[in-house]
Amino acid sequence: MFILRWCLGSCKGLYQSNKWYKKAIGKGSKTAMYSIGVLFYDGLGIAKDHLKTKYWFQKAYDNGYENALRMLNKIKAENE
């Protein structure tokens, strides 16, 4: 978790953060799953992609990250 926070504040660009999130996801980090969803949602360092956003929020929620449900509901409301 420390690496993820540090990376957002110190790494050269958000692209580097994306790289660290993917490494953490490989280790099963539900926080990283949620965080990469936020990057896709906001288009931070990567192109906005609502399909990938929903995928990562759903994956985070399925792995026990309860806050991801709030974002899934927000996306659903935006698309209605």
Side-chain angles (χ1 to χ4, degrees):
M1 186 67 180
F2 169 77
I3 291 174
L4 300 176
R5 287 188 186 140
W6 171 81
C7 206
L8 280 175
S10 304
C11 287
K12 294 180 182 178
L14 290 167
Y15 178 81
Q16 191 70 16
S17 297
N18 187 15
K19 176 182 154 187
W20 284 105
Y21 284 134
K22 287 183 179 179
K23 285 186 178 196
I25 288 167
K27 295 182 180 191
S29 171
K30 59 189 175 189
T31 304
M33 293 172 194
Y34 176 83
S35 297
I36 205 164
V38 171
L39 293 181
F40 279 115
Y41 181 80
D42 291 331
L44 299 173
I46 51 180
K48 284 186 178 186
D49 187 324
H50 291 293
L51 290 176
K52 289 182 182 178
T53 297
K54 289 194 293 189
Y55 172 83
W56 285 113
F57 286 150
Q58 186 64 54
K59 194 152 177 80
Y61 180 70
D62 292 345
N63 281 279
Y65 197 85
E66 296 294 323
N67 286 339
L69 182 60
R70 180 179 55 84
M71 288 303 292
L72 287 167
N73 290 333
K74 180 178 180 180
I75 291 167
K76 184 178 178 183
E78 290 173 353
N79 291 324
E80 290 179 348

